[in-house]
């Protein structure tokens, strides 16, 4: 029998993905669980396996194109249908069972035209819509002329004429609407959703359900060709998601950043001594030590391990501690999440963290491993710099930034002596956390790094 293979629900909130590569061709024999294609979605590349063994009879997806969850990507001819085709004619007269089964075997053939009818009707409707009377076309053209100031390279928005007309009637700049259809095509629902979310932000009616379309909310670009030659490259999926998330955070979170330094001379001596005898996968990093320290700090300061729900006027206090760690990869910034960090020892944290970072750089990280974080650490110490201002990743309320450690003179009461100082910067959502609480939280982390026994005494 023929079996349609659809895009499965990969993770919560994921509605679509981009086809990175197709591993099979029409006519190929495949086995159950064999990879059919790779799909990039939510900062991860996932493999879509075959649900059964059989022969690929059709491929309805293309590399580089976006497909939605539930969309048919391939058609598989399973073993049952192949056996029915190869069955000898001599067996047909036997008993009444073949006669009873014949209508069932013919049903898929009868259903196929019925399933195609809506698609044909939709195609005819789109053609009829595109072939509007000249008066209507003139009206649409006149209105589009008014939008030339916000066009990009004179490209028309990917939307049907009726959708563009709806945008004009509602006073919506269609070039700021993010389409949910294939290839970013904009629908009437996208227009209405944009209006609804905009009104929620303007009137303070709670946070919008969908993320702020930061990637599209910008002023029109000037004509750069007047100044010299330029080139363009498409945004990667990772960069697109990062732009959207950062724009949303920057436009909604009143950000405060606290700065402090920790004397990590003794801790660094211990780390180096431990690594001399440690296995490569268990080598301690400053980030691994910080994960353990921050997990303990979040237990001591539960408001930093929360989410703000303005719609209900509540602060959601998490009873679990999942710490995300920013990883620099060739594809962009990924943030795998170390779950239940407060219940793990430092050595186990180091092993898991090294493994997550490796799979992130190789794009083998799973979507579920990028979800559920309650606090984030961004360590730029390996690159350099003395301080920076990390942006809180909503719906989290705080993030810790780490810069490069360096020897600095420190007054001990009678003289200056060289100490290895680690600069830390804590950014937090001022709606959920006060400045005094932010200073205490960061000082607690510094003291724990300077005197790790504090974790045992207060654990």
């Amino acid at each position: 029998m023929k079996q349609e293979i659809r895009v499965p629900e990969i993770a919560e909130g994921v509605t679509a993905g981009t086809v990175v590569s197709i591993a099979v061709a029409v006519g190929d024999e495949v086995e159950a669980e064999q990879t059919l294609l790779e799909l990039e979605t939510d900062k991860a590349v996932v493999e879509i396996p075959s649900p059964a063994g059989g022969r690929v009879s059709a491929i309805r997806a293309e590399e580089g194109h976006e497909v939605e969850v539930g969309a048919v990507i391939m058609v598989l001819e399973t073993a049952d249908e192949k056996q029915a085709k190869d069955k000898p004619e001599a067996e047909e007269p036997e008993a009444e069972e073949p006669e009873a089964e014949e209508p069932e075997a013919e049903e898929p053939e009868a259903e196929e035209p019925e399933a195609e009818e809506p698609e044909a009707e939709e195609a005819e409707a789109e053609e009829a819509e595109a072939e509007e009377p000249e008066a209507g076309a003139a009206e649409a053209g006149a209105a589009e002329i008014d939008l030339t100031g916000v066009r990009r390279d004179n490209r028309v928005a990917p939307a049907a004429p009726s959708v563009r007309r709806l945008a004009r009637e509602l006073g919506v700049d269609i070039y700021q609407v993010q389409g949910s259809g294939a290839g970013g095509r904009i629908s009437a629902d996208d227009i209405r959703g944009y209006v609804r979310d905009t009104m929620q932000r303007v009137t303070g009616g709670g946070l919008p359900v969908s993320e702020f379309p930061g990637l599209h909310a910008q002023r029109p670009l000037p004509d750069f060709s007047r100044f010299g030659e330029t080139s363009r490259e498409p945004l990667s999926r990772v960069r697109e998601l990062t732009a959207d998330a950062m724009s949303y955070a920057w436009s909604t979170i009143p950000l405060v950043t606290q700065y402090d330094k920790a004397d990590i001379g003794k801790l660094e001596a211990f780390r180096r001594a431990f690594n001399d005898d440690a296995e490569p996968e268990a080598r301690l990093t400053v980030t691994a030590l910080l994960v353990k320290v921050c997990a303990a700090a979040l237990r001591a300061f539960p408001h930093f391990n929360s989410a703000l729900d303005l719609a209900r006027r509540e602060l959601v206090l998490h009873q679990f501690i999942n710490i995300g760690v920013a990883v620099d990869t060739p594809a962009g910034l990924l943030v795998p999440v170390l779950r239940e960090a407060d219940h793990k020892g430092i050595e186990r944290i180091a092993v898991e963290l090294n493994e997550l970072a490796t799979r992130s750089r190789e794009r083998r990280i799973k979507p579920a491993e990028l979800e559920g974080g309650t606090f984030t650490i961004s360590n730029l110490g390996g690159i350099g710099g003395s301080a920076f201002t990390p942006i809180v990743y909503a719906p989290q309320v705080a993030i810790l930034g780490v810069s490069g450690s360096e020897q600095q003179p420190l007054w001990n009461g009678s003289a200056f002596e060289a100490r290895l100082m680690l600069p830390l910067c804590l950014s937090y959502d001022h709606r959920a956390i006060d400045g005094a609480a932010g200073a205490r939280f960061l000082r607690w982390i510094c003291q724990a790094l300077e005197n790790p026994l504090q974790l045992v005494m207060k654990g």
Side-chain angles (χ1 to χ4, degrees), residues 154-394:
N154 291 324
R155 289 181 295 176
V156 178
S162 60
V163 175
R164 294 199 292 272
R165 187 183 306 111
L166 175 63
R168 292 194 297 271
E169 290 174 354
L170 297 178
V172 172
D173 178 2
I174 198 170
Y175 292 89
Q176 292 191 12
V177 179
Q178 185 169 7
S180 60
R185 189 169 181 81
I186 301 169
S187 66
D189 288 339
D190 295 329
I191 299 293
R192 297 187 186 97
Y194 177 84
V195 173
R196 181 177 61 253
D197 294 347
T198 301
M199 291 305 298
Q200 285 178 326
R201 288 193 294 272
V202 171
T203 61
L207 294 176
V209 177
S210 60
E211 288 190 333
F212 178 71
L215 183 62
H216 300 271
Q218 68 173 37
R219 293 182 178 181
L221 298 177
D223 181 9
F224 294 116
S225 63
R226 294 184 298 143
F227 314 117
E229 293 185 2
T230 61
S231 62
R232 287 177 175 268
E233 62 180 27
L235 290 180
S236 67
R237 181 62 175 165
V238 172
R239 179 56 54 200
E240 187 175 331
L241 290 169
T242 301
D244 188 64
M246 294 299 98
S247 295
Y248 173 77
W250 188 258
S251 63
T252 59
I253 297 177
L255 192 72
V256 175
T257 303
Q258 205 87 28
Y259 299 91
D260 208 333
K261 294 180 180 179
D263 181 356
I264 61 167
K266 295 180 180 178
L267 192 67
E268 181 63 11
F270 164 78
R271 188 182 73 85
R272 291 180 180 276
F274 178 87
N275 286 343
D276 288 341
D277 301 322
E279 297 294 330
E281 65 275 7
R283 290 175 62 86
L284 282 182
T285 62
V286 173
T287 304
L289 295 168
L290 280 168
V291 167
K292 185 61 179 179
V293 170
C294 287
L298 293 171
R299 280 292 178 209
F301 298 83
H303 282 191
F304 286 80
N305 194 53
S306 67
L308 187 63
D309 189 348
L310 286 180
R312 295 187 177 183
R313 295 178 174 84
E314 295 175 344
L315 190 66
V316 182
L317 298 171
H318 305 304
Q319 301 306 310
F320 55 92
I321 295 177
N322 296 340
I323 297 182
V325 178
V327 177
D328 183 27
T329 77
L333 188 67
L334 299 181
V335 187
V337 176
L338 194 69
R339 300 184 183 279
E340 298 183 344
D342 55 324
H343 296 314
K344 297 174 180 177
I346 296 177
E347 188 171 3
R348 182 179 173 187
I349 288 175
V351 172
E352 291 188 12
L353 192 58
N354 290 336
E355 195 263 341
L356 283 172
T358 299
R359 288 196 291 110
S360 295
R361 295 187 183 98
E362 296 175 354
R363 301 305 306 277
R364 294 188 292 110
I365 196 75
K366 299 177 182 178
E369 295 173 314
L370 300 170
E371 300 175 338
T374 60
F375 185 84
T376 298
I377 297 174
S378 178
N379 190 346
L380 297 180
I383 300 175
S386 57
F388 66 103
T389 304
I391 299 178
V392 175
Y393 183 69

Side-chain angles (χ1 to χ4, degrees), residues 53-234:
R55 183 177 65 84
V56 178
S57 60
I59 298 178
R60 299 181 180 175
E62 296 182 28
E63 292 185 2
H65 287 203
E66 187 177 80
V67 291
E68 298 181 354
V69 171
V72 178
I73 52 177
M74 291 188 189
V75 177
L76 189 69
E77 186 180 290
T78 60
D80 292 342
E81 173 141 338
K82 290 195 298 181
Q83 290 175 2
K85 288 182 177 180
D86 298 337
K87 194 171 184 180
E89 295 181 1
E91 296 181 4
E92 293 182 0
E94 290 184 4
E96 296 179 1
E97 293 180 4
E99 295 178 4
E101 292 177 357
E102 283 180 2
E104 295 180 7
E106 292 176 358
E107 282 180 5
E109 297 181 3
E111 287 176 359
E112 287 182 4
E114 293 178 7
E116 292 176 358
E117 283 180 4
E119 296 180 3
E121 291 175 1
E122 290 176 7
E124 291 175 6
E126 290 181 4
E127 290 177 5
E129 187 176 6
E131 296 174 4
E132 291 180 336
E134 294 182 359
E139 179 186 352
E144 288 173 7
I145 291 175
D146 295 337
L147 294 175
T148 53
V150 295
R151 282 194 177 192
R152 297 188 179 92
D153 298 335
N154 291 324
R155 289 181 295 176
V156 178
S162 60
V163 175
R164 294 199 292 272
R165 187 183 306 111
L166 175 63
R168 292 194 297 271
E169 290 174 354
L170 297 178
V172 172
D173 178 2
I174 198 170
Y175 292 89
Q176 292 191 12
V177 179
Q178 185 169 7
S180 60
R185 189 169 181 81
I186 301 169
S187 66
D189 288 339
D190 295 329
I191 299 293
R192 297 187 186 97
Y194 177 84
V195 173
R196 181 177 61 253
D197 294 347
T198 301
M199 291 305 298
Q200 285 178 326
R201 288 193 294 272
V202 171
T203 61
L207 294 176
V209 177
S210 60
E211 288 190 333
F212 178 71
L215 183 62
H216 300 271
Q218 68 173 37
R219 293 182 178 181
L221 298 177
D223 181 9
F224 294 116
S225 63
R226 294 184 298 143
F227 314 117
E229 293 185 2
T230 61
S231 62
R232 287 177 175 268
E233 62 180 27

Side-chain angles (χ1 to χ4, degrees), residues 398-409:
I399 180 173
L400 181 71
V402 187
S403 296
S405 59
E406 61 179 355
Q407 295 286 345
Q408 294 181 356

